[in-house]
Amino acid sequence: MKQLTLFVATLMSTWVIGQEVKTSNEKVSFSHGSFDAIVVTIPYANKDAVEKELKSEMKDWGGKYNSSKGEYTAKEAKIKGMGDKYFDGYAKIIESGSEIKVAFAVDLGGAYMNQSEHKDQYKAIEARAKKFAQNASKESINGMIELETKALKKLTGEKEDLLKDIEDSKKDIEDAKKKIAEEEQKIKDNESATQKKEGEIATQTTKLGEVQGLLKKIK
């Protein structure tokens, strides 16, 4: 069981590594306006896992964290690769069918970060976005592994119950065979005893006749 779970976990982790995390530069609408944003697609995403990882990611930006109406913010944040100035970070989850993406926008203080004008900062946030997406994807898959492991455990338990029932039935059959053999021997013994008894009855019948015959001799 443990070996199978480890195999599934290893296999699915390999899929995550093999599944390239892609980013794009798009205009994304936030509650306070539409801005340039880095949008990352998360393979095999589960929304609960993505929300948990996104909350952790935005807190790691070191600013004043807040979340409201599906948006996550880090005010006066400061991270490596973004220079010495503080900035405000914004993120939101975008759902499209079964696909989940996350958009990251950054207010550098008077201007929102874009790929052409803020190359260094853009690369820094893009790298974090990709790393976040990989972590969110792995956590999503870990959740899938947990569910599939529980299902496998349930099936394995059901199989073990069936095997136990089989062994119990086999034992019942063996006990029944033993009981039948005992009863068959008992029949044979009783048949022999019956034959012996018939001889004893015949002898006793003769004796009874002889005793009854004594009455006739009395005059």
Side-chain angles (χ1 to χ4, degrees), residues 121-219:
Q121 292 95 328
Y122 187 93
K123 286 181 180 179
I125 297 298
E126 183 180 41
R128 291 193 69 105
K130 284 184 176 181
K131 185 65 177 177
F132 152 77
Q134 288 173 347
N135 291 337
S137 184
K138 288 177 181 178
E139 284 304 306
S140 296
I141 291 176
N142 283 335
M144 292 165 58
I145 290 172
E146 183 177 352
L147 289 175
E148 297 305 327
T149 299
K150 285 181 179 179
L152 179 58
K153 185 177 180 181
K154 181 175 180 293
L155 291 172
T156 301
E158 290 171 351
K159 176 188 173 183
E160 289 174 352
D161 289 341
L162 291 171
L163 290 173
K164 184 178 182 300
D165 287 343
I166 290 172
E167 291 304 314
D168 289 344
S169 296
K170 286 181 178 179
K171 185 178 183 301
D172 290 342
I173 291 171
E174 291 302 317
D175 290 344
K177 285 180 178 179
K178 184 179 179 182
K179 182 65 175 176
I180 290 171
E182 290 174 352
E183 294 301 321
E184 286 177 341
Q185 185 60 48
K186 187 176 180 180
I187 290 171
K188 290 178 181 179
D189 293 341
N190 287 338
E191 286 175 342
S192 297
T194 298
Q195 291 176 354
K196 183 179 178 182
K197 229 26 121 168
E198 286 175 350
E200 292 174 352
I201 289 170
T203 300
Q204 186 62 33
T205 300
T206 300
K207 287 182 179 180
L208 176 60
E210 291 174 350
V211 172
Q212 287 175 337
L214 295 175
L215 290 173
K216 295 178 180 179
K217 293 180 179 181
I218 298 175
K219 296 180 179 180

Side-chain angles (χ1 to χ4, degrees), residues 11-130:
L11 179 61
M12 298 190 85
S13 295
T14 302
W15 288 351
V16 175
I17 295 171
Q19 181 73 33
E20 183 181 358
V21 173
K22 296 180 180 179
T23 62
S24 59
N25 185 44
E26 303 175 21
K27 280 281 187 182
V28 177
S29 294
F30 289 84
S31 59
H32 58 295
S34 182
F35 309 101
D36 283 322
I38 294 173
V39 179
V40 61
T41 301
I42 303 171
Y44 315 109
N46 170 275
K47 189 175 181 181
D48 289 340
V50 172
E51 287 177 341
K52 181 180 177 182
E53 286 299 313
L54 185 54
K55 179 179 179 180
S56 176
E57 172 64 21
M58 296 304 286
K59 284 185 174 182
D60 283 348
W61 285 22
K64 298 176 183 177
Y65 170 79
N66 187 42
S67 63
S68 178
K69 297 180 180 179
E71 294 185 8
Y72 302 77
T73 60
K75 295 284 189 177
E76 298 180 0
K78 194 174 185 181
I79 58 176
K80 185 178 180 180
M82 292 294 289
D84 296 329
K85 293 183 179 180
Y86 291 97
F87 62 89
D88 295 339
Y90 302 90
K92 67 180 293 186
I93 296 172
I94 303 170
E95 294 182 81
S96 178
S98 60
E99 187 176 62
I100 293 181
K101 300 179 179 181
V102 174
F104 293 92
V106 175
D107 182 358
L108 296 172
Y112 272 78
M113 181 188 71
N114 63 69
Q115 190 173 11
S116 60
E117 297 178 11
H118 313 99
K119 292 182 179 180
D120 291 339
Q121 292 95 328
Y122 187 93
K123 286 181 180 179
I125 297 298
E126 183 180 41
R128 291 193 69 105
K130 284 184 176 181

